[in-house]
Amino acid sequence: MSTTLPSSSSSSSSLTSATASTTGSTPPFRLLASIVVSSPMTNGGAVSISGQNFDHDSSINIILYYQGVNTIFNSASSSLSFTVGEGVGTNHAVTLQVKNNTGHVLQSTSFFMSYQPPRISSTSSLTYNGGSLTLYGVNFGGNPNNVTVNVGGVLCVNVRSATHVAISCTMPSPRSPPDPVVEVFINVGNQRSA
């Protein structure tokens, strides 16, 4: 069963094992003890959650709460899949509830979902006098207000033209001769490039 959720404003996670009884001889609904929740890229993507006995009782509703949206899965299979929109950062709270047909909560489990961190693949050339710098890679987000660029310990200013795969900024003139090799990294949301 799949659904699509809206964009957010901001790896992997694991869930704690929990069991809830259902009616009759149906095995109880149970989330697996240590599942991996996939991390989408900053332009959005699929996230999957695995469990057991999701499809054994038609009177159970599985409800996913994320970013103020409630998504109901009726008698889903052993895996729930949902699509998140564009976003950045870590620790986005997701709650999964199991309710019976009268609305009584049988189980509630919360976990965190994270977007993938930024990765730089290349940069444009930069002269001793500073100037415009463009970084290329993935997971840069789409909002320049969520991004900082650091070149050899100096912040690049006027971050602009942010896309998920490229970003430009202006590098100020250095106060002393630059090293021939400097570390370049980008922070997007609360994640630093490796």
Side-chain angles (χ1 to χ4, degrees), residues 8-10 42 86-89 118 139-149 159 162 164 167 186-192:
S8 98
S9 59
S10 2
T42 61
E86 181 177 302
V88 298
N139 299 318
F140 293 171
N143 183 347
N145 296 325
N146 290 332
V147 178
T148 58
V149 177
V159 177
H164 296 282
I167 192 161
I186 183 172
N187 283 304
V188 178
N190 57 355
Q191 295 178 294
R192 179 181 164 159

Side-chain angles (χ1 to χ4, degrees), residues 127-130 152 154 172-179 182:
T127 68
Y128 170 74
N129 296 326
V154 177
S173 296
R175 295 185 182 140
S176 60
D179 291 328
V182 294

Side-chain angles (χ1 to χ4, degrees), residues 12-35:
S12 63
S13 302
S14 58
L15 296 177
T16 310
S17 176
T19 303
S21 296
T22 60
T23 59
S25 61
T26 304
F29 167 85
R30 183 168 116 15
L31 290 175
L32 295 175
S34 181
I35 65 172

Side-chain angles (χ1 to χ4, degrees), residues 2-79:
S2 298
T3 190
T4 301
L5 297 177
S7 297
S8 98
S9 59
S10 2
S11 330
S12 63
S13 302
S14 58
L15 296 177
T16 310
S17 176
T19 303
S21 296
T22 60
T23 59
S25 61
T26 304
F29 167 85
R30 183 168 116 15
L31 290 175
L32 295 175
S34 181
I35 65 172
V36 175
V37 178
S38 59
S39 295
M41 296 181 75
T42 61
N43 61 349
V47 178
S48 296
I49 305 168
S50 298
Q52 295 175 340
N53 302 327
F54 288 171
D55 57 354
H56 287 281
D57 190 338
S58 62
S59 67
I60 291 179
N61 288 322
I62 301 166
I63 305 168
L64 182 96
Y65 299 94
Y66 176 72
Q67 298 284 324
V69 175
N70 305 341
T71 305
I72 299 174
F73 300 92
N74 292 308
S75 257
S77 66
S78 62
S79 178

Side-chain angles (χ1 to χ4, degrees), residues 67-114:
Q67 298 284 324
V69 175
N70 305 341
T71 305
I72 299 174
F73 300 92
N74 292 308
S75 257
S77 66
S78 62
S79 178
L80 302 177
S81 177
F82 61 101
T83 302
V84 296
E86 181 177 302
V88 298
T90 60
N91 298 324
H92 295 275
V94 179
T95 300
L96 197 61
Q97 279 190 346
V98 180
K99 293 183 178 183
N100 64 16
N101 57 3
T102 64
H104 177 74
V105 176
L106 301 174
Q107 176 185 348
S108 183
T109 302
S110 295
F111 60 97
F112 296 96
M113 188 254 337
S114 297

Side-chain angles (χ1 to χ4, degrees), residues 104-138:
H104 177 74
V105 176
L106 301 174
Q107 176 185 348
S108 183
T109 302
S110 295
F111 60 97
F112 296 96
M113 188 254 337
S114 297
Y115 286 88
Q116 292 180 20
R119 288 190 316 261
I120 300 170
S121 58
S122 64
T123 66
S124 63
S125 298
L126 190 61
T127 68
Y128 170 74
N129 296 326
S132 183
L133 175 66
T134 302
L135 288 82
Y136 303 96
V138 294

